Amino acid sequence: MISDGVEDEEKWLTAGIAGLQQNAFYMHRALDSNNLRDALKYSAQMLSELRTSRLSPHKYYELYMRSFDELRKLEMFFKEEARRGCSIIDLYELVQHAGNILPRLYLLCTVGSVYIKSKEAPAKDVLKDLVEMCRGIQHPVRGLFLRSYLSQVSRDKLPDIGSEYEGDADTVTDAVEFVLQNFTEMNKLWVRMQHQGPAREKEKREKERSELRDLVGKNLHVLSQIEGVDLDMYKDTVLPRVLEQVVNCKDELAQHYLMDCIIQVFPDEYHLQTLDVLLSACPQLQPSVDIKTVLSQLMERLSNYAASSAEVLPEFLQVEAFSKLSNAIGKVIEAHVDMPTIGVVTLYSSLLTFTLHVHPDRLDYADQVLGACVKKLSGKGKIEDSKATKQIVALLSAPLEKYNDIVTALKLSNYPRVMEYLDTETNKVMATVIIQSIMKNKTCIETEDKVEALFELVKGLIKDLEGNLQDEIDEDDFKEEQNSFARLIQMLYNEDPEEMFKIICTVRKHILTGGPKRLPFTIPSLIFSCLKLVRQLQGQDENPFGDETSTTPKKIFQLLNQTIEALSSVPAPELSLRLYLQCAEAANDCDLEPVAYEFFTQAYILYEEEISDSKAQVTAIHLIIGTLQRMHVFGVENRDTLTHKATGYSAKLLKKSDQCRAVYACSNLFWVDDQENMKDGERVLLCLKRALRIANAAQQMANAARGNTGSVTLFVEILNKYLYFFEKGNPQITVSTIQGLIELITTEMHSDTTTPDPAADAFFASTLRYIQFQKQKGGAVGEKYEPIKV
Amino acid sequence: MDFLVGAFKPPCNVSISFADARTRKQVPLKKDNGQTIMVPLFQSQENIIGEVLIEPTQGKKFEHNGVKIELLGQIELYFDRGNFYDFTSLVRELDVPGELYERKTYQFEFSTVEMPHESYNGINVRLRYILKVTIGRNYISNIVECQDFVVRNYTPPPSINNSIKMEVGIEDCLHIEFEYGKSKYHLKDVIIGKIYFLLVRIKIKNMELEIRRRESTGLGPNTYVETETLAKFELMDGAPVRGESIPVRLFLSPYELTPTYRNINNKFSVKYYLNLVFVDEEDRRQHTMASSSGILVWFFSGVGGFIFMSYSCDLQF
């Protein structure tokens, strides 16, 4: 059925065009032979095609455009006729003899245009007559097109200021009056369109109506082009009349479009000066009108206007733009009781953007906006609508973007209150946005109270908010947000250690509330932040004031210790162990032996009591060895204890290969390169020998269990260790020991029970190559290596 | 055969001409046979002066019983065709009985002739003026020659010319108020008015203004009434809403109107009505007038032109 309708319409259009062309042909012939009577007859017949009711506006437009072109030719002819002496007044009467009204009025407008040009009558009289006569067309579509034709032919003939058609006095008023009247009538027709035809086609009609809206809007454009419409006239006549029409038409589509039009076509300066008039219309619009978009557009334009030049800013202040807009928004929201939250938030968001542009210095305005927003939101509970929450995020992001500085935003007391209306999820999103803003701008948060305020904003990340069900959180998202929060901790920095310490305490206070899931992310960040402070203090050895309350590394270490302990509740022993070791190293650098010892002790306890996984043990032991190796603060006794323990742990690892590797790694503990008092060659050799024994045992075990001895990799690794100490000058490592080891490996490799292992072979081969290379180097090293036979 | 032809041919040619034929205005007149000829135009109280030329054919002499010229104003009713009622009859004797040998012209003059009625050509009635030359003859029929002319009388504008204002309608469907600037128009006038919609409950497709002519002839039981629509003028396209007002501007000059004739010699009357017609979307025509014949307007033949931009809109909406 529908496709039939379309086809039919196509057919009617074709028929209409054919009829039009045929009559246009006869009209041309009459024009060529200067036959006025025929020309009028055929032009009227041609225009009769426009009387159709069968076409949709879209198709009708096509027909209209063709007629329009033909009418241009007719107009030329009328001009010629007038020049040849034909009385234009007679012509004006003659065309009114046409029996059908639509052709009659098209012809009248055409002659009217020539009439004005001839200046035989004042333009205003002709225009007034034309616009009045056009009332005869009450059919919406035909009327709209006719009046649009009138507007088209008259727009260059308005008695505007400076126009050649300007009359004696005050003719601009007439020009404006003419356009306003045409506008009013067109709008009435346009609005009426929706009531015509069956109700089931309402949607289609609304679509058609919106296709026609530009015909109506063009009048406003014409008004804006009239030179004579200065601010006073705009204020006193144009705007009130247009708004009256907009308000009274009570049509959603028209009101929205026309408000938008007003905002777009007239200069910003006018809007600024007539702000209260314009705004007072807003609460009077239909409740269904998308008023928020309209107002947002207005504010956006004004914002851009303000941004365009600093000179206009005083104007804004003069007219109190902010308070007017703010009031208007309040009224609009009051008037539309059931306005959805998204509307409310969008409005405030636009207002905020406006404020930020126009009054960047008035932070209190921004705060007012947020405050008003909170007031409107109060009582609605958490916002569920996802679009609305998006808008809130936009609202809250605006100040961040504008000031590029969270510190400024922190001064807005209502900021966190707005955030309370977000659901947990969005709250987190917003917190992430804030953090990203900080990261992007590398903002340093420098005082304790700012930190407090900031944490209030991002509390969604710090701890579980009430009513939040953990199970729905995506693991990856959670990790990401916690990571970003961890990064945030690094941005909290003050050069003054006292203040920095306060910040750290505050941060600690907050993050400890985060629960076991968050601590593994937040604590390391805090620890490193502390350690940074420690390193800073380390430079200024002594406390210059000797003040008890001042910050000392010792105090910090105490804090660190307590903080890491908090991790035990998680539990995260491996992480804790690493952190203890880090702290121990820092304490080492501060020459605080007891502290360092304490940290090591903690680490050892953790190792013994908490770390049971063998892989974790391996990693842990290597970390312990590595750290311990670098410690120089310990006295012989302490060091011995710790070293002994470490070696003991190594030998107790589960897998033989792990044991072997840990033990040979322990050899480094007895030989610290840059410290003379820590070069115990004998114990190094002891370690290595023990490693060899273990390697051997490992092979035998493998042989017993699986029938082959496994790889020789361990041996080669040990050989490399030998070579290392050999080079370092450990007297206990002799050429013969190395030689023996090489032979042992070679034999092992050739034994039947050994599984071939290309990696191990390659490793061994390159080790041998290294020896060769060192030999060839000559000098002291070459001499040293010379005796080794490969 | 020439003499045979000659035997039936009238023995002379008669022609009537007017003294001021060159300068006098000519107007078209439709003759009985449907042809349109141009004839001179007179008005009452004018002198009708001219000459009659009689030319014997082939130079033969012929006898006559005298020559006379008559000026006749006649009313002819078509249901009584052939019977002319002469309301004006003037005679001038041009020649005494005798013989005519050669062409001869006779001057004639009717001075300040009263011609109270205008020429009219209607459906059932005709009012005409003729000059009739009769050459009387013995035994054989008279030779008669007629010349039509048209009379138009210019009446001064009426001193009282009220506007027409009326509220009419179809109950609960359509209420309108219309207003025409005058009730009496001269023939080149323009009807200016306004139609104001008070209630619209029907789906109007368009609105037309008709000018209707009502011609009544005869008397008493023999009265014949003919109504004819002379003008159909579309005033409005589409459906208005309550409160809308539609301008009316109808130029009368394109239409073949006559002044209103009231009871001409007790024979006939011609009256004009303005009629508003509404066509609804089902193409039903609705006449909103209380009587279907519309509003009576009075037409008269005025003098001089008119001012066209006399229209103004005072009804504020």
Side-chain angles (χ1 to χ4, degrees), chain A residues 30-31 33-37 39 74-88 91 94 114:
Chain A
L31 295 182
S33 53
N34 282 330
N35 187 339
L36 177 62
R37 216 153 265 284
L74 195 64
E75 191 183 346
M76 294 296 293
F77 173 73
F78 287 152
K79 268 182 214 159
E80 285 289 305
E81 282 289 292
R83 245 197 11 224
R84 277 198 290 267
C86 172
S87 156
I88 191 78
L91 210 53
L94 205 54
V114 181

Side-chain angles (χ1 to χ4, degrees), chain B residues 39-169:
Chain B
V39 296
L41 176 70
F42 289 91
Q43 53 177 311
S44 191
Q45 307 285 344
E46 272 193 298
N47 298 330
I48 300 176
I49 306 164
E51 56 181 31
V52 177
L53 173 74
I54 300 175
E55 195 177 11
T57 40
Q58 296 148 356
K60 275 162 64 179
K61 66 158 192 180
F62 76 98
E63 267 181 71
H64 63 84
N65 277 349
V67 180
K68 64 171 179 183
I69 182 163
E70 289 167 291
L71 189 155
L72 298 174
Q74 302 178 318
I75 293 172
E76 183 188 7
L77 296 164
Y78 293 158
F79 56 81
D80 190 16
R81 199 173 277 270
N83 262 347
F84 299 101
Y85 170 77
D86 295 347
F87 57 86
T88 294
S89 177
L90 299 168
V91 188
R92 296 285 182 274
E93 293 293 340
L94 296 178
D95 209 352
V96 294
E99 286 183 340
L100 266 175
Y101 301 98
E102 53 187 357
R103 57 183 284 175
K104 189 171 179 186
T105 56
Y106 305 93
Q107 305 293 326
F108 68 88
E109 178 175 350
F110 299 96
S111 1
T112 53
V113 190
E114 274 298 335
M115 292 179 286
H117 308 309
E118 294 193 344
S119 307
Y120 173 71
N121 219 339
I123 295 170
N124 284 329
V125 64
R126 179 167 68 168
L127 187 151
R128 66 167 187 171
Y129 287 92
I130 51 170
L131 284 169
K132 186 171 163 193
V133 175
T134 314
I135 303 171
R137 292 205 288 173
N138 287 327
Y139 316 118
I140 42 175
S141 61
N142 294 340
I143 298 172
V144 176
E145 176 65 29
C146 290
Q147 166 70 47
D148 286 88
F149 66 91
V150 168
V151 172
R152 293 259 180 275
N153 285 326
Y154 294 105
T155 41
S159 53
I160 299 171
N161 195 350
N162 293 326
S163 62
I164 304 171
K165 194 170 179 181
M166 199 180 272
E167 199 183 313
V168 291

Side-chain angles (χ1 to χ4, degrees), chain A residues 50 99 134 147 168 173 179 204 251 344 359 381 457 479 503 505 545 561 592 609 644 649 667:
Chain A
L50 287 175
C134 284
R147 284 183 180 274
D168 309 331
T173 325
V179 183
K204 185 178 152 226
D251 174 64
V344 177
H359 307 288
L457 295 186
K479 267 186 193 159
I503 293 177
C505 289
F545 311 107
N561 205 349
L592 293 171
E609 291 176 358
H644 185 75
Y649 296 148
S667 64

Side-chain angles (χ1 to χ4, degrees), chain A residues 51 89 92-93 96-104 108 115 121 125-126 128-129 132-140 142 185 188 192 196-197, chain B residues 188 194 203 205-206 208 232-241 244-255 306 308-309 311 313 315 317:
Chain A
R51 298 175 72 211
I89 301 172
Y92 196 76
E93 183 198 321
Q96 295 186 66
H97 293 174
N100 283 321
I101 186 161
L102 192 69
R104 178 165 77 235
L108 192 66
Y115 196 5
D125 290 347
V126 181
K128 192 173 175 189
D129 189 52
E132 203 44 55
M133 290 310 284
C134 284
R135 282 177 184 274
I137 306 297
Q138 292 290 324
H139 184 276
R142 293 195 283 272
E185 292 301 323
K188 283 199 277 190
R192 200 188 296 166
Q196 305 209 328
Chain B
K188 303 281 177 200
K194 195 129 194 106
K203 288 180 174 173
K205 198 165 116 187
N206 65 3
E208 288 168 353
K232 265 192 183 187
F233 191 74
E234 194 182 12
L235 286 182
M236 184 183 73
D237 172 23
V241 292
E244 206 66 65
S245 70
I246 307 296
V248 178
R249 184 189 294 159
L250 171 60
F251 289 91
L252 296 176
S253 58
Y255 305 106
F306 63 93
F308 104 89
M309 286 278 282
Y311 175 75
C313 159
L315 280 173
F317 157 56

Side-chain angles (χ1 to χ4, degrees), chain B residues 79 217-225:
Chain B
F79 56 81
T217 49
L219 277 172
N222 292 329
T223 308
Y224 293 83
V225 177

Side-chain angles (χ1 to χ4, degrees), chain A residues 48 112 126 131 149 156 161-162 176 214 294 384 399 535 623 663 741 772:
Chain A
S48 289
V126 181
V131 78
Y149 178 71
D156 56 342
I161 284 179
V176 170
D214 287 344
V294 174
E384 309 275 308
R535 305 267 178 210
L623 281 168
V663 169
L741 191 52
Q772 287 292 7

